[in-house]
Amino acid sequence: MEAVAADSADSALFLRFASASNVDDTLLEQLDADIVRLATAYVSKPVSEVFQEIGALRRAVFDLLRGRQHPNQSAHLYLAAGRLSGLATHVALDLGQYAAATTHSRTVWRCAESAGHNGLRAWVR
């Protein structure tokens, strides 16, 4: 009887762990909207106006990836991080920082691999 109760407690603990997430659909939608806004701003405004915000949002996504989320949410975060790293690649190229651009593009590739996203893989290559 004690073994059954312990097994049940283990299952309950697992359910709490498995359902815990540091992100939700609303946050993911907001990230997507922010990325579209930054990509649009990047092509229409001076780099100096969007540079800091791209970096700040990218760091925030990296921080979220250090947390716990469902696998599909992790894939979404990796895709967001890859897109932001792609923007960072363009910023670095515009500023003549070729070594930084190369590092950012490698980050895009790693994110594309982690997200399993062929479109991002194709874009970075």
Side-chain angles (χ1 to χ4, degrees):
M1 291 301 257
E2 288 180 30
V4 171
D7 189 48
S8 175
D10 288 344
S11 290
L13 181 61
F14 174 77
L15 285 174
R16 280 193 299 267
F17 173 81
S19 61
S21 177
N22 62 329
V23 299
D24 61 18
D25 290 340
T26 303
L27 176 65
L28 295 174
E29 286 177 26
Q30 185 61 53
L31 280 174
D32 292 342
D34 287 343
I35 292 167
V36 168
R37 179 181 52 78
L38 287 170
T40 302
Y42 174 76
V43 297
S44 62
K45 294 184 178 180
V47 172
S48 60
E49 292 185 27
V50 294
F51 172 74
Q52 296 294 330
E53 194 172 356
I54 290 169
L57 187 57
R58 192 170 76 111
R59 285 186 298 277
V61 172
F62 288 162
D63 286 343
L64 288 170
L65 280 164
R66 288 184 187 101
R68 288 189 7 221
Q69 55 278 145
H70 300 285
N72 64 324
Q73 293 169 327
S74 294
H76 198 124
L77 288 173
Y78 276 114
L79 180 58
R83 289 176 172 156
L84 289 164
S85 294
L87 286 172
T89 300
H90 284 291
V91 168
L93 288 171
D94 285 350
L95 297 175
Q97 301 294 319
Y98 303 112
T102 301
T103 299
H104 290 310
S105 66
R106 285 186 192 107
T107 303
V108 175
W109 180 258
R110 181 68 259 153
C111 290
E113 288 289 302
S114 295
H117 196 276
N118 288 330
L120 190 57
R121 286 183 187 113
W123 178 83
V124 74
R125 284 292 176 206

